[in-house]
Amino acid sequence: MQFIVVLRILGVLLMVFSLTFLPPWLVGWMMGDADLVPFETSFFIAFVLGGLLWLPLRTYRRELKLRDGLLIVVSFWVTLGLVGALPIFLQPTLNLSFTQSVFESVSGITTTGSTVLVGLDNLPRSLLFYRQQLQWLGGLGIIVLVVAFMPLLGVGGMQLYKTEISGPMKDNRLSGRISETAKALWIVYAGLTFLCAILYKLEGMSWFDAVGHAFSTISTGGFSTHDDSLGFFHSFSMELTAEIFMVLGATPMALHYLAMRHGSIRAYGKSSEFKFFLMLLGMLFLFIALAILLARPDSEWLWGMRWGLFTLVSMMTTTGFTLTDHTPWPAFLPVLVLATALIGGCAGSTAGGLKTVRMLLLTRQGVNELRKLVHPHAEFVVKLSGRAISPTVISAVWAFFAAYVFVFVVVFFAMMVTGLDAVSAMGAAIATLTSVGPGLGSVTGNFASASSATLWVGTVSMILGRLEIFTVLVLFLPMFWQR
Amino acid sequence: MQFIVVLRILGVLLMVFSLTFLPPWLVGWMMGDADLVPFETSFFIAFVLGGLLWLPLRTYRRELKLRDGLLIVVSFWVTLGLVGALPIFLQPTLNLSFTQSVFESVSGITTTGSTVLVGLDNLPRSLLFYRQQLQWLGGLGIIVLVVAFMPLLGVGGMQLYKTEISGPMKDNRLSGRISETAKALWIVYAGLTFLCAILYKLEGMSWFDAVGHAFSTISTGGFSTHDDSLGFFHSFSMELTAEIFMVLGATPMALHYLAMRHGSIRAYGKSSEFKFFLMLLGMLFLFIALAILLARPDSEWLWGMRWGLFTLVSMMTTTGFTLTDHTPWPAFLPVLVLATALIGGCAGSTAGGLKTVRMLLLTRQGVNELRKLVHPHAEFVVKLSGRAISPTVISAVWAFFAAYVFVFVVVFFAMMVTGLDAVSAMGAAIATLTSVGPGLGSVTGNFASASSATLWVGTVSMILGRLEIFTVLVLFLPMFWQR
Ligand SMILES: [K+]
Ligand SMILES: [K+]
């Protein structure tokens, strides 16, 4: 293990990350925030801390191994979660505990969007902008991680994607490959954000809200600058825009890249995963629409369709925007819609959950296992986008699924042990592990009343979910630390 | 498909099954039941129905294929569930609906033990004996199915057990193999029941209760002749006896057979699955004991230990006996204990749930997948009882796990759609799919207040769970019906 290199890289990360405290500072300064000291102090602390790590080690260079990569990834997210909590913790008006601040920060950087804050509408602009930006950075980070890095590691069957976006990358060294891919993804991601912000602005948001919500839409983060989330605007066109860009955010970024490069949407049509994702969305919407029509054949059905579509897209893409709604839908509907977050969006996107490609693979392989009962000696091969999938990948995906279920059950019970009732614990487990954000019961809207223990369980769950579980679990293997 | 042979066999089954209506009749006659007509009518209907199927087809014989076997298995359980409902439906004093009667009958034959009845203590003796006997027969049936038949079919990785009890069986034809194995298992099963009944009697039960509870202990069925279940007796020694025989019921019957044949308990010690089962029980008990000690450091901790051990063993073996208890334990404790039913007992026993051997295999393979992240090019092999497990089996077990989770989620939501709240729906899904019996919320004690829709979902879930899901799902594959 190259601990010294890991530390040097963390130092650089901290110094770069400290620069992200400046845009919120600028926004606050322009919009007249009373107190910008929290961001100044945070910048100073993070930059100096980073410098202190980097300076003595700056000449120490080694090519990294994959195993170092795993350690770096987990350290990145933990460090950013902790240091990102500084500007929140230091807000004099909020008086948040250390635990709450870290929860909020990790919720941002993991694009979860659960919050301990209430009264968002009256918070300092700098802080609101900072939360939105945190999600946007978290989204960018996860894409780079999942597209450039995870395929090399083979985490949860992600070696599937090894060749997907391999066009522009001749460089096989880890660092080279990551920086090339990151550049391509950055352009796509920034372009989509820009488009989304312009549309929100045209539909009537202020520039502040437009940019902020574009940040949390594309990143499928779900933070808002209003307690009422996107429901604050009461605008059907904004909801449609959000729906489209949430879906785009939950689509493999590689597909956007290919479409842009070839000036054609053929890439989307050739992706089994993307088509399966749209099909699932469509089927689930039909089911929900039917349930709404049967339950509310009165004048509320039209609102029901609008609410159903938005909430389904928001949850299944693991964004977590909500519309204010007090209609007494059948009790299973909100639970079902939230549970679609467990399926989640496509791999290689900002979305969380199990990921559509894994669902697709498991479904096909599951049917094959049934077929084997009928024809025990036949060979059945699973194909995705016309390519046969190797047993190694399938095995990794099965294991990932089992690990996901296992961690879900553990988080669920841990949440209950910290004092939540069964329904809230289920909601909290879904909210944090899938990166969707909102839960059920006492954590439906926010985690403001949650105990410290609940918040820590949630924090760990968010990081586990965001880093595809295995990346974190592997660090607990004694073998990982042996030469 | 040999439909005619299937019908002929069903005819024989019905005639044989109609004979099982006679012992309850006899018990009722001896104990002075007012009305024995329901059993007489049921016997007549079932016997004539069976005869009508069998008589015209009795000369039609063909050797069966495995695929016919799958159809026969599902037909068996469905037919017995329906016909077994007759003596319940016909009870004039109960006034149960057709749906309730079928639910009760299927709950018996699948050894689930959920009930729609209240006021058990005052029911006719004939009916009470019939319910207990139904579970005992269901237990015997499932053992024969799982030990003799499933390994040949390879359902959910059960080909693992192909060689386990292959000693006495030279006959490779399906019918021959099944009858040989059934004979061996019958002796073990009847012997254990006899022992258990004697012990219950010595500890103070009436012969009626002793035999009845022995029937539902060994079969891990959980029906009782009292509303208060085993808690009715307030006897610590009976609880210990129940705990021992529930564990024996949840142990692979093949191990008992080997122990009996060799006059040595070495077979138990050599079984990875059995050892893992005991280890899980032990670890879960330690956790529960700790939670009880921390939550109730007052005088109730001793009762807590007694309650915790009994309830854990009862749930994890998927028996479902309960003790009357009103102590305010932490809310997570009853949910956790019930959820251990999802793990379940050992394969090749009467217990339900996922089965310990699958948990063990998934755990080991899961750790191997983690190890592969550290050493991508190394080969890791999973061994059970010293034998390497083939990738085919592992793949089948992964698929089984995923199917189990999938069906659980579908049953959970279906239960909510029928009107249960989330907690009750979770309880009902666990109760029926794992064959444990008791649930949570509104279905904690019984399903008396459940709607017809809820009961039908439960009925389907019980059959799916009992027949290892795949056996039923495969019938929905178009390929199954093609030549
Ligand atoms: K989110
Ligand atoms: K049971």
Side-chain angles (χ1 to χ4, degrees):
Chain A
M1 207 66 64
Q2 306 279 7
F3 290 109
I4 296 177
V5 183
V6 174
L7 283 177
R8 178 176 61 75
I9 292 181
L10 279 181
V12 176
L13 171 76
L14 273 183
M15 287 193 291
V16 172
F17 185 62
S18 73
L19 299 178
T20 71
F21 295 158
L22 301 181
W25 181 90
L26 195 67
V27 168
W29 181 73
M30 291 195 305
M31 296 183 79
D33 277 0
D35 184 3
L36 292 168
V37 177
F39 282 97
E40 293 157 10
T41 317
S42 304
F43 170 73
F44 181 76
I45 295 177
F47 193 83
V48 169
L49 215 67
L52 286 178
L53 273 177
W54 172 74
L55 259 182
L57 310 172
R58 70 189 179 286
T59 52
Y60 192 90
R61 291 182 174 272
R62 293 278 188 288
E63 191 55 36
L64 289 173
K65 302 237 178 64
L66 285 178
R67 225 195 292 183
D68 304 306
L70 285 162
L71 186 61
I72 290 175
V73 166
V74 179
S75 318
F76 259 43
W77 258 259
V78 171
T79 307
L80 292 193
L82 291 172
V83 176
L86 278 176
I88 303 168
F89 183 62
L90 295 175
Q91 295 289 328
T93 49
L94 289 182
N95 238 326
L96 292 181
S97 69
F98 174 68
T99 303
Q100 287 176 312
S101 309
V102 170
F103 181 87
E104 189 79 10
S105 167
V106 169
S107 172
I109 204 79
T110 58
T111 76
T112 304
S114 303
T115 183
V116 295
L117 298 173
V118 270
L120 290 174
D121 305 63
N122 302 315
L123 289 186
R125 301 292 101 177
S126 51
L127 181 68
L128 289 177
F129 188 84
Y130 173 68
R131 288 167 79 244
Q132 305 299 116
Q133 179 192 276
L134 207 51
Q135 295 214 310
W136 191 73
L137 293 169
L140 184 60
I142 204 66
I143 295 173
V144 172
L145 175 68
V146 170
V147 176
F149 197 53
M150 291 248 179
L152 301 177
L153 299 174
V155 171
M158 296 299 273
Q159 57 268 62
L160 258 178
Y161 279 83
K162 220 172 232 173
T163 54
E164 189 96 330
I165 193 181
S166 59
M169 284 163 291
K170 294 283 187 314
D171 200 334
N172 267 321
R173 279 175 310 129
L174 200 55
S175 51
R177 186 188 169 93
I178 289 179
S179 69
E180 274 301 312
T181 314
K183 227 176 283 172
L185 292 172
W186 153 261
I187 295 167
V188 172
Y189 190 69
L192 286 173
T193 312
F194 181 74
L195 261 176
C196 183
I198 295 285
L199 281 171
Y200 278 149
K201 171 66 188 158
L202 290 176
E203 285 159 345
M205 284 190 195
S206 68
W207 273 118
F208 178 75
D209 276 351
V211 172
H213 285 90
F215 278 173
S216 61
T217 306
I218 285 299
S219 63
T220 63
F223 269 155
S224 174
T225 53
H226 304 283
D227 279 344
D228 289 341
S229 185
L230 220 78
F232 171 86
F233 301 100
H234 298 287
S235 158
F236 184 50
S237 75
M238 284 184 201
E239 289 163 26
L240 280 178
T241 306
E243 283 158 22
I244 290 168
F245 281 87
M246 288 190 287
V247 168
L248 292 177
T251 303
M253 289 295 139
L255 291 184
H256 299 318
Y257 176 79
L258 290 174
M260 207 178 67
R261 214 161 128 247
H262 301 302
S264 143
I265 60 165
R266 260 189 54 216
Y268 299 103
K270 278 167 68 182
S271 161
S272 303
E273 176 178 24
F274 184 65
K275 286 185 287 184
F276 188 63
F277 178 61
L278 292 187
M279 197 195 75
L280 278 179
L281 261 183
M283 276 170 39
L284 283 163
F285 178 67
L286 282 183
F287 181 80
I288 289 165
L290 197 73
I292 284 171
L293 285 175
L294 290 174
R296 299 257 133 211
D298 50 19
S299 62
E300 288 176 301
W301 72 266
L302 199 64
W303 162 248
M305 296 291 125
R306 181 175 155 186
W307 171 83
L309 180 64
F310 183 83
T311 313
L312 172 64
V313 172
S314 174
M315 297 307 165
M316 191 154 151
T317 59
T318 69
T319 309
F321 284 142
T322 53
L323 299 183
T324 320
D325 178 61
H326 300 289
T327 322
W329 305 119
F332 75 90
L333 213 48
V335 183
L336 175 71
V337 174
L338 181 65
T340 61
L342 289 166
I343 303 174
C346 300
S349 76
T350 58
L354 272 163
K355 310 284 181 308
T356 321
V357 69
R358 294 205 184 93
M359 293 298 291
L360 180 57
L361 225 154
L362 295 185
T363 309
R364 291 196 177 162
Q365 180 64 21
V367 172
N368 280 354
E369 291 291 339
L370 275 182
R371 287 184 179 142
K372 263 191 213 164
L373 292 183
V374 184
H375 296 298
H377 303 297
E379 284 283 335
F380 299 98
V381 176
V382 173
K383 286 187 176 184
L384 283 187
S385 309
R387 212 151 35 97
I389 305 300
S390 80
T392 317
V393 170
I394 293 173
S395 181
V397 174
W398 284 129
F400 181 84
F401 177 77
Y404 206 82
V405 172
F406 173 74
V407 171
F408 181 84
V409 171
V410 170
V411 170
F412 167 77
F413 279 112
M415 288 289 184
M416 281 199 85
V417 170
T418 68
L420 295 188
D421 63 281
V423 173
S424 304
M426 200 199 313
I430 297 178
T432 53
L433 191 62
T434 68
S435 317
V436 65
L440 295 168
S442 68
V443 295
T444 305
N446 57 64
F447 283 71
S449 61
S451 71
S452 280
T454 302
L455 294 178
W456 279 117
V457 172
T459 303
V460 172
S461 171
M462 289 190 283
I463 291 180
L464 274 168
R466 182 75 295 189
L467 299 184
E468 310 269 311
I469 294 173
F470 277 15
T471 320
V472 181
L473 288 190
V474 74
L475 302 193
F476 292 90
L477 218 57
M479 181 191 269
F480 181 84
W481 302 99
Q482 287 152 12
R483 287 205 55 87
Chain B
M1 208 65 65
Q2 307 278 7
F3 288 110
I4 297 178
V5 183
V6 173
L7 283 178
R8 180 176 60 76
I9 292 180
L10 279 182
V12 175
L13 171 75
L14 273 183
M15 287 194 290
V16 173
F17 185 61
S18 72
L19 300 178
T20 69
F21 296 159
L22 301 181
W25 181 89
L26 195 68
V27 168
W29 181 73
M30 291 195 305
M31 297 184 78
D33 277 359
D35 184 3
L36 292 169
V37 177
F39 283 96
E40 293 158 11
T41 318
S42 305
F43 170 73
F44 182 75
I45 296 176
F47 192 82
V48 169
L49 214 69
L52 285 178
L53 273 177
W54 171 75
L55 260 182
L57 309 171
R58 71 188 180 286
T59 54
Y60 192 91
R61 291 182 174 272
R62 293 275 188 289
E63 191 55 36
L64 289 173
K65 302 237 177 66
L66 286 177
R67 226 195 290 184
D68 304 306
L70 286 162
L71 185 62
I72 290 175
V73 167
V74 178
S75 317
F76 258 44
W77 259 260
V78 171
T79 307
L80 292 193
L82 290 172
V83 176
L86 279 176
I88 305 168
F89 183 61
L90 294 175
Q91 294 288 329
T93 49
L94 289 181
N95 238 325
L96 292 181
S97 70
F98 174 67
T99 304
Q100 287 176 310
S101 308
V102 170
F103 181 87
E104 189 80 11
S105 166
V106 169
S107 172
I109 204 80
T110 59
T111 75
T112 304
S114 303
T115 183
V116 295
L117 298 173
V118 270
L120 290 175
D121 305 62
N122 301 315
L123 290 186
R125 302 290 102 179
S126 52
L127 181 69
L128 288 178
F129 187 83
Y130 174 67
R131 290 167 77 243
Q132 304 300 116
Q133 179 192 278
L134 208 50
Q135 295 213 311
W136 190 73
L137 293 169
L140 183 59
I142 205 65
I143 295 173
V144 172
L145 175 68
V146 169
V147 176
F149 197 53
M150 293 246 179
L152 301 177
L153 299 173
V155 171
M158 296 297 273
Q159 56 267 63
L160 257 179
Y161 279 83
K162 223 173 230 173
T163 54
E164 189 96 330
I165 191 182
S166 59
M169 285 162 289
K170 291 285 183 318
D171 199 335
N172 266 321
R173 279 174 311 130
L174 200 54
S175 50
R177 187 189 169 93
I178 290 179
S179 69
E180 273 301 311
T181 314
K183 227 176 283 171
L185 293 171
W186 152 262
I187 294 167
V188 171
Y189 191 67
L192 286 173
T193 312
F194 181 74
L195 261 176
C196 182
I198 296 285
L199 281 171
Y200 278 149
K201 171 65 187 159
L202 290 177
E203 284 158 347
M205 285 192 195
S206 67
W207 272 118
F208 178 77
D209 277 350
V211 172
H213 284 90
F215 277 172
S216 63
T217 306
I218 284 298
S219 63
T220 65
F223 269 155
S224 174
T225 52
H226 304 282
D227 280 344
D228 288 340
S229 186
L230 221 79
F232 171 87
F233 301 100
H234 300 286
S235 158
F236 184 50
S237 75
M238 285 184 202
E239 290 162 27
L240 281 178
T241 305
E243 283 157 21
I244 291 169
F245 280 88
M246 288 190 287
V247 168
L248 292 178
T251 303
M253 288 296 140
L255 292 184
H256 299 317
Y257 176 79
L258 291 174
M260 206 178 67
R261 217 163 126 246
H262 301 302
S264 142
I265 59 164
R266 261 188 56 213
Y268 299 102
K270 277 167 69 182
S271 161
S272 303
E273 177 178 24
F274 184 66
K275 284 186 286 183
F276 189 61
F277 178 61
L278 291 186
M279 197 195 75
L280 278 179
L281 261 183
M283 276 170 40
L284 283 163
F285 178 66
L286 282 183
F287 181 80
I288 289 165
L290 198 72
I292 283 171
L293 285 174
L294 290 174
R296 300 256 133 213
D298 49 22
S299 62
E300 286 175 301
W301 70 266
L302 198 63
W303 162 248
M305 296 292 127
R306 181 174 153 187
W307 171 83
L309 180 64
F310 183 82
T311 314
L312 172 65
V313 172
S314 175
M315 298 306 165
M316 191 152 151
T317 59
T318 70
T319 309
F321 283 142
T322 53
L323 298 183
T324 321
D325 178 62
H326 301 289
T327 323
W329 305 119
F332 75 90
L333 212 48
V335 183
L336 175 72
V337 174
L338 182 64
T340 60
L342 289 166
I343 303 173
C346 300
S349 76
T350 58
L354 272 163
K355 311 284 182 309
T356 321
V357 69
R358 294 206 183 92
M359 294 298 292
L360 179 59
L361 224 155
L362 295 184
T363 309
R364 292 198 176 159
Q365 179 65 19
V367 172
N368 280 354
E369 290 291 337
L370 275 181
R371 288 185 178 141
K372 264 190 210 164
L373 292 183
V374 183
H375 296 298
H377 302 297
E379 285 283 335
F380 299 98
V381 177
V382 174
K383 286 187 177 184
L384 283 187
S385 308
R387 211 150 38 97
I389 305 300
S390 81
T392 317
V393 170
I394 293 173
S395 181
V397 174
W398 284 128
F400 182 84
F401 177 78
Y404 207 83
V405 172
F406 173 74
V407 171
F408 181 84
V409 171
V410 170
V411 170
F412 168 76
F413 279 113
M415 287 289 184
M416 281 200 85
V417 169
T418 68
L420 295 189
D421 62 283
V423 173
S424 304
M426 200 200 312
I430 297 178
T432 54
L433 193 62
T434 67
S435 317
V436 65
L440 295 168
S442 68
V443 295
T444 305
N446 58 65
F447 283 70
S449 61
S451 70
S452 280
T454 301
L455 294 179
W456 280 117
V457 173
T459 303
V460 171
S461 171
M462 289 191 282
I463 291 181
L464 275 167
R466 181 75 295 188
L467 299 184
E468 311 268 311
I469 293 172
F470 277 16
T471 320
V472 181
L473 288 189
V474 75
L475 302 194
F476 292 91
L477 218 57
M479 181 190 270
F480 181 84
W481 302 98
Q482 287 153 11
R483 286 204 55 86

